[in-house]
Amino acid sequence: MIHIESIEDVQRAMRACAHVLPRGGGSKPALSVPPPDVEELDLSNLKGVVEYNPGEYTFTARAGTRIDEVQALLAGHGQYLPFDPPLAEHGATLGGTLAAGLSGPGRYRYGGVRDFILGVRLVDGTGQLVRGGGKVVKNAAGFDIPKLMVGSLGRFGVLVELTFKVFPQADAFTTVRQPCAKLESAVAALERVYLARLDVDSLDLMPGEGGSATVWVRLAGMPGVLHARAERVRALLGGGDVLDGTDDFLAWREAREFTWVPPGWTLVKVPLTPGRIAGLEAILDPLQAQRRYSGGGNVAWVALPDTVPAQRLDGILLPAGLAGLILFGPAGKVRIGARENEVFERRVKAVFDPAGRLPDLA
Amino acid sequence: MDNHALQALIDALTSLYPPDRLLSKAGELAPYESDALTAYRVRPAVVVIPETQDEVIQTVKLCHAHKVPFVARGSGTSLSGGSLPVKDGIVIALNRLNHILKLDPRERIAVVEAGTINLDITKAAAPYDLYYAPDPSSQQICTIGGNVAFNSGGAHCLKYGMTSNHILGLKVVLPDGQVVRLGGESTEAVGPDLVGLFVGSEGLFGIVLEITVRLLPRPEKYHTLLAAYSTLEAAGEAVSRVVASGLLPGALEIMDRLAIQAAEAAVHPNYPKGAQAILIVELEGEPEEVSEETQRLEQVIRESGAYEVRVAQDASDRQRIWKGRKSAFSAVGRLSPDYIVQDGVVPRSRLSEALAEIKRLGEQYGLRVANVFHAGDGNLHPLILYDGREAGALERAEKLAGEILDLCIRFGGSITGEHGVAVEKRDYLPRMYSETDLDVMWRLRCAIDPEQIANPGKMFPPGTGGNGVVSPVAHSTNLHPLDQAGIISRE
Ligand SMILES: Cc1cc2nc3c(=O)[nH]c(=O)nc-3n(C[C@H](O)[C@H](O)[C@H](O)COP(=O)(O)OP(=O)(O)OC[C@H]3O[C@@H](n4cnc5c(N)ncnc54)[C@H](O)[C@@H]3O)c2cc1C
């Protein structure tokens, strides 16, 4: 493992090593354990906020900066990361979160990590330092390289510095939790909220025992009207408990930090749409998986017991036309299931990494 | 350009298109010779008007086989010369490729063909109380394909983002004729964000055929407030106050005195008399939330020194306020025979400074500058008024426009927030990015389009590539860079 202290260190390592794998906080082990003959670059010391001006709604930080440190800084100015980065308490870094393309349940309101990245600096596979995007909230000059880095898993470069857009944090939160005896009624409730003219912060669904499922709806905003708004949500859900304060906080922390995933299990991200929840539930049935649907049913988090190899999920997702990304579990092939046409991606890869130094966790 | 290749292509196109959809006579080509950057015109060899995706694919394949450049064209409203034709190339006009293929309210998505008009998506979604959020002022005529190519913005970007934030999937014909699908129907994805890279690529990566957009529930309530100020700086200062208050308005727009005058002359929005600047702030969302936020907003605006504040009482009031703002570009035509629409970004906290500097530059150049801008994003749209019949006036206006871009770069902003680089700003791109950064972008372009036939001459300055890899439009003389490139002639 090479301990990176500076951007020059990354450039040097890139020129010296045949194969590298960048690692931020190691909070997504399947993505950060190097295969044999691959040099791991530990970026956790390439850290620190370089620039933050609350009036601009932007900040720039080194890629190895821990998310929780950024969150504390922003909170001091009443601001937050609207894509609600997961695994912050597990040490997730800005670079690792962007490269993995991960957003938390709060992404439902204003968008995911792709919607808040403004600029990047990266070291490409030839050791060059490349900048893309800018430091202002709006910029249409040149190709959108920052977005290309979202979900790239280090394929095109080692991220060294990032600029994000941030938003003012809401004053208060509340959550409505509605347990439903049947999955179908939970999905129908979720869809009613999905289509309603409401400003919902988070919208999740979690299947439980015996075909039941619970819908979770979080609201954020002015404290004085939160409960009136929660009543509208309850009317749509056909009831539900209202959670405030710590209860509200803990409910979403569980989702964001994946504390519902039993230790040792494999965790897989599967993008989908709300209309496909029931179908996925049916095909997952034989796997004894635990599931949580987040982002209004735009992503399934699927946890598999260690007795079920991830390849089985691969075999199930592929014919369903769904893709998966393994976050916890054995390293190796982390992208499973369906793949979009790769012509375009291969051409891009050749530009950034002609010698194939950067990871191909395919 | 090899004339044989062009002739062979035209022959092949003749068997693909009926005569009324393959234009080659001077009179027929005239409307396609320029886009909304009207100072520039280039006559293409032919214009084809495909009606099906397959016709587009076949056309691109033929262009590739004959190595003839093509330019995709939506409605030709680009303000940066994006759809300016290439001499001896062809224009592929996509306005008839405008079917809404699918609108699934349950999944909150629509799949549309690239020539679909932006506003038509919202119209189609309206019965379900859904809408397509990005709203460039040109939304009644511009196409979603053009929006994707330029990552177009609008008045609601601060809260909702640009076009890119609303595009889930694309079906694209690459410049070599291969058809690929990028992205999908979910807001979440696995793998690199290729959709994100494609959006904003200005037609250099091929032609978009089909676009999957996400739809949002229509806000139930709008609170549209108009505040009048006796100085432009005070309006700019008010924006900072709103931002600092923790509110996140859907829109924060400023117009200065000259822009107000133009709007009054054109659409009579009846803005407050004597205003040096007006600020439009719009809150939107659930009624309870909006009414709470309104109280906070009204306090902030009161403290900001506005001398008159109006609140839209109903939908038609709101529309009147927005009509003045959205028509401002074209309305400036009432004040001046010609004008340049500039588009640049500065950090929001330096708005007032930037506006003062623009004013000073305008005086120095002896040109009037009207300002209409997306204040919440720091996205300036100075409109530089000139009279093209006056010798040297256009050159002076362009020089001033250039100085404004330099200012944006100096302030740490961008040379374009939403109108794109294309032809107008390609010489400025190297001032924003290093040689290495540009080289990577150029190699991306070449990797996707090795023959450089998709919209050549746009985004990159002439001569980019070096080492013999010269853009097909690059030549060198003492003329204006665009004339030099052999791709423009002046009206
Ligand atoms: C009055 C007025 C107001 C405007 N207001 C705004 C505004 O508020 N915000 C804003 O961002 N812009 C604005 N614009 C600029 C312009 O409307 C946008 O850039 C718009 O997206 C262009 O769409 P179009 O269909 O006219 O595209 P065109 O001008 O025809 O083409 C634009 C570019 O897109 C490419 N292109 C078109 N279709 C495709 C396709 N299917 N595949 C690949 N490439 C394609 C073209 O080659 C060209 O490079 C305004 C313009 C005018 C005239």
Side-chain angles (χ1 to χ4, degrees), chain A residues 7-70:
Chain A
I7 293 173
E8 294 71 32
D9 283 353
V10 179
Q11 294 182 284
R12 261 192 299 275
M14 194 66 81
R15 292 185 174 125
C17 308
H19 299 288
V20 303
L21 178 69
R23 173 198 163 97
S27 63
K28 296 161 280 282
L31 306 182
S32 51
V33 173
D37 305 325
V38 172
E39 194 67 56
E40 191 168 19
L41 308 185
D42 175 8
L43 289 150
S44 58
N45 258 334
L46 189 70
K47 63 181 180 201
V49 173
V50 180
E51 229 178 288
Y52 173 42
N53 179 348
E56 295 299 335
Y57 284 180
T58 61
F59 73 90
T60 300
R62 300 281 196 220
T65 311
R66 282 178 63 123
I67 300 259
D68 53 6
E69 286 171 18
V70 174

Side-chain angles (χ1 to χ4, degrees), chain A residues 53-58 79 100-104 107-116 124 126 128-145 147-153 155-156 165 167-169 171 187 191 193-200 219-226 228-229 232 269-276 295 297-299 301 323-325 335-336 340-341 343-345 347-348 350-352 354, chain B residues 105-108 128-130 150-151 153-154 157-159 161-162 164-167 174 176 178-183 185-202 204-205 214 217-220 243 246-248 284-289 292-293 296 345-350 374 376-379 412-421 429 432-434 436-437 439-445 447-450 459-460:
Chain A
N53 179 348
E56 295 299 335
Y57 284 180
T58 61
Q79 297 183 342
L102 297 185
S103 308
R107 66 97 62 228
Y108 184 71
R109 178 73 179 97
Y110 295 115
V113 60
R114 78 180 297 268
D115 301 306
F116 288 88
D124 73 5
T126 67
Q128 287 192 115
L129 181 62
V130 180
R131 189 170 67 87
K135 289 188 172 177
V136 278
V137 294
K138 208 169 177 189
N139 171 25
F143 297 137
D144 199 339
I145 290 173
K147 281 219 175 55
L148 174 66
M149 295 302 135
V150 176
S152 64
L153 302 176
R155 260 201 114 184
F156 308 130
K165 170 170 157 177
F167 274 162
Q169 166 87 291
D171 290 355
V187 171
E191 287 184 343
V193 177
Y194 195 65
L195 285 178
R197 297 166 78 175
L198 301 175
D199 297 315
V200 170
L219 297 173
M222 298 287 191
V225 293
L226 263 185
R229 293 175 57 205
R232 291 180 66 187
K269 169 185 171 176
V270 181
L272 79 175
T273 51
R276 302 194 65 178
N298 276 270
V299 63
W301 300 104
L325 174 69
R335 276 174 73 182
I336 60 174
E340 61 190 24
N341 184 317
V343 176
F344 198 84
E345 192 175 334
R347 291 182 187 178
V348 172
V351 169
F352 283 91
Chain B
R106 236 181 103 198
E107 306 280 48
R108 274 185 13 204
Y128 310 99
D129 276 339
L130 296 172
F150 272 170
N151 192 14
C157 293
L158 178 64
K159 186 167 179 180
M162 326 252 298
S164 195
N165 305 105
H166 301 268
I167 304 299
L174 297 178
D176 62 5
Q178 284 192 73
V179 176
V180 297
R181 285 184 182 273
L182 309 174
E185 297 194 337
S186 175
T187 58
E188 282 288 333
V190 159
D193 192 346
L194 302 175
V195 171
L197 175 65
F198 201 100
V199 177
S201 59
E202 302 200 355
L204 272 64
F205 288 163
R214 78 186 172 113
R218 220 148 46 80
E220 198 172 333
V243 165
L247 292 170
L248 186 61
E284 57 200 23
E286 293 175 42
E288 301 91 340
E289 183 73 6
E292 288 279 294
E293 291 179 354
R296 192 183 288 183
V345 183
V346 297
R348 185 172 38 218
S349 54
R350 301 188 72 179
H374 309 304
D377 305 314
N379 187 183
S414 172
I415 56 171
T416 169
E418 54 182 23
H419 295 170
V421 176
L429 201 62
M432 229 180 112
Y433 294 107
S434 75
T436 311
D437 307 337
D439 177 61
V440 167
M441 290 190 204
W442 174 252
R443 284 187 294 117
L444 266 175
R445 144 63 152 189
I448 306 295
D449 180 15
M459 193 188 288
F460 295 97

Side-chain angles (χ1 to χ4, degrees), chain B residues 385-414:
Chain B
L385 282 50
Y386 70 96
D387 183 347
R389 291 164 303 192
E390 205 181 285
L394 170 63
E395 286 70 19
R396 224 160 10 111
E398 283 186 324
K399 213 153 164 252
L400 171 55
E403 290 225 31
I404 294 174
L405 292 185
D406 280 334
L407 175 159
C408 292
I409 297 170
R410 214 167 53 238
F411 279 28
S414 172

